[in-house]
Amino acid sequence: MINYCTRVEIPSSPYKIDYKDDIMLIGSCFAENIGVKMEEMMFRALKNPFGVLYNPSSVANACIHLANPKPFTTGDLFLYNEMYNSFMHSSKFSHADRDECLRLINSSLTESAKRFASINHLIITFGTAYVYKLKSTGQTVANCHKLPAAQFIRERLTTDEIVDEWSSLLCKLLSINASMKVIFTVSPIRHFRDGAHLNQVSKATLLLAVQSLCEKFPDTATYFPAYELMMDELRDYRFYADDMLHPSPVAIDYIWERFCETYMEPSTRETIREALDLSKMLNHRPLNTSSVLYKQFLTETMLKTERFREKYPYICIPNEIYKC
């Protein structure tokens, strides 16, 4: 049989993910994509409690706040273009009302911090080694919120800086939760605003840092090669979205399949198929809610839901009837 691509060989991880695990994903758009997959398939997964984060320092800061939750105050917000924002959060928390912005931020922090102390798997995705720092304070920001570029200093983190910050952080996290496993990934999304060459320099910096961390913490950290899968197996532009920078839905599905092969037992992958079938039924939106066919469909859905709950009582079914 002829091979039409260079297959990336990924060793099976000794640390498996199953439906009884608590999982948190933090980082770039790729963490968001995989998190959506896990939510759709009913894993106990929580994604990006601070919104999408791109650089290692901002991801580390988010983890520190989750490990030692301290409510944010109005002093942590700033007003720009009639919206209140936080430099530690993405724009999904921004709001025209200051109190509502603060409520959204602290509500997410409270919920996420409760789960963070006991998670089984922490999935981290680094997007870029470049950081933006406020000139006025030196603070590394997670999001510039479209403020003028003149207010920031742009720097590229070194491999040593990333390794030092994350080594200290992992030691702290493991002192709180010794059984936690960390899966590092580097986002395959290209940051072409940096230019083709500097994007590669940035990704290389992240890859070297992650490799060092996995070598320093061999019993805790593993690396999943999402970046390599996109660059080698899926290098054709048909696997990219319209902007030619982000992976297409087909590419995300393929990388997800390889992730499952690496971190999940066959029995878990079989449960995924059952959960996905039920999820599609629960999310079905009929054209005619009064039809006989739809009433039959509702009966079938309830029966299937009950059978699923009996078979997998530890899986949360996210719908209006069954709450976690």
Side-chain angles (χ1 to χ4, degrees):
M1 182 177 179
I2 299 174
N3 289 324
Y4 291 99
C5 69
T6 305
R7 183 173 172 83
V8 176
E9 297 299 331
I10 310 174
S12 179
S13 170
Y15 314 119
K16 300 300 184 182
I17 294 174
D18 66 35
Y19 274 94
K20 294 180 181 178
D21 291 334
D22 283 313
I23 306 156
M24 189 171 292
L25 305 95
I26 305 178
S28 79
C29 299
F30 186 72
E32 192 80 4
N33 291 334
I34 297 300
V36 168
K37 289 284 186 189
M38 288 191 153
E39 288 177 344
E40 182 183 9
M41 294 161 195
M42 303 184 190
F43 282 91
R44 296 178 186 174
L46 181 63
K47 67 181 190 300
N48 278 335
F50 284 69
V52 174
L53 307 175
Y54 297 98
N55 71 79
S57 286
S58 292
V59 177
N61 286 335
C63 291
I64 290 169
H65 276 73
L66 291 170
N68 295 288
K70 180 182 177 182
F72 288 86
T73 68
T74 54
D76 297 308
L77 307 180
F78 67 94
L79 181 65
Y80 183 68
N81 280 344
E82 301 181 3
M83 296 288 284
Y84 285 93
N85 312 277
S86 161
F87 280 125
M88 280 201 62
H89 297 76
S90 77
S91 58
K92 84 171 188 177
F93 292 95
S94 299
H95 203 279
D97 182 82
R98 183 190 63 182
D99 292 339
E100 180 61 13
C101 176
L102 201 60
R103 187 195 69 78
L104 291 171
I105 287 171
N106 284 326
S107 176
S108 179
L109 177 65
T110 300
E111 176 192 355
S112 306
K114 287 178 181 176
R115 297 177 61 172
F116 191 73
S118 59
I119 56 174
N120 304 96
H121 299 278
L122 177 63
I123 301 174
I124 297 295
T125 303
F126 296 151
T128 178
Y130 285 95
V131 298
Y132 288 84
K133 296 182 178 180
L134 271 174
K135 286 183 179 179
S136 58
T137 64
Q139 175 191 358
T140 297
V141 303
N143 194 302
C144 295
H145 295 288
K146 298 183 179 181
L147 268 70
Q151 296 189 25
F152 302 95
I153 300 170
R154 180 174 178 269
E155 297 178 351
R156 187 175 69 245
L157 297 172
T158 67
T159 299
D160 287 344
E161 286 173 332
I162 299 170
V163 172
D164 288 347
E165 182 173 30
W166 272 86
S167 294
S168 175
L169 174 60
L170 288 177
C171 287
K172 181 174 183 178
L173 296 182
L174 289 171
S175 70
I176 299 170
N177 181 0
S179 63
M180 180 186 68
K181 303 301 179 188
V182 180
I183 301 171
F184 284 107
T185 66
V186 171
S187 173
I189 297 168
R190 296 177 295 167
H191 292 251
F192 256 43
R193 283 177 295 181
D194 299 327
H197 173 63
L198 291 181
N199 170 71
Q200 291 295 84
V201 172
S202 170
K203 298 294 186 183
T205 301
L206 299 176
L207 290 166
L208 287 169
V210 168
Q211 181 64 25
S212 294
L213 289 167
C214 289
E215 290 172 354
K216 289 185 72 172
F217 297 88
D219 297 327
T220 299
T222 59
Y223 172 67
F224 177 71
Y227 178 80
E228 290 80 358
L229 287 170
M230 196 71 204
M231 295 299 105
D232 286 285
E233 289 196 32
L234 306 177
R235 68 177 68 177
D236 194 292
Y237 272 104
R238 65 197 169 105
F239 293 114
Y240 284 84
D242 291 344
D243 64 2
M244 297 299 153
L245 299 175
H246 288 72
S248 69
V250 171
I252 293 169
D253 286 345
Y254 179 76
I255 295 172
W256 165 251
E257 289 175 8
R258 297 298 302 277
F259 182 88
C260 293
E261 291 174 4
T262 304
Y263 290 100
M264 298 176 194
E265 299 286 5
S267 58
T268 304
R269 299 203 293 272
E270 178 58 36
T271 306
I272 285 175
R273 285 188 280 272
E274 294 182 51
L276 186 56
D277 286 343
L278 178 58
S279 181
K280 288 177 179 177
M281 293 180 75
L282 292 171
N283 291 317
H284 174 67
R285 294 293 177 264
L287 294 175
N288 182 2
T289 58
S290 61
S291 69
V292 173
L293 284 176
Y294 181 60
K295 291 177 181 178
Q296 290 174 348
F297 174 80
L298 283 179
T299 300
E300 292 173 7
T301 301
M302 290 194 69
L303 288 173
K304 188 165 186 174
T305 301
E306 289 296 343
R307 288 195 295 268
F308 189 87
R309 282 171 60 84
E310 290 173 3
K311 188 175 180 180
Y312 307 110
Y314 46 85
I315 295 180
C316 173
I317 301 175
N319 64 46
E320 69 278 8
I321 300 173
Y322 300 106
K323 299 293 183 182
C324 297

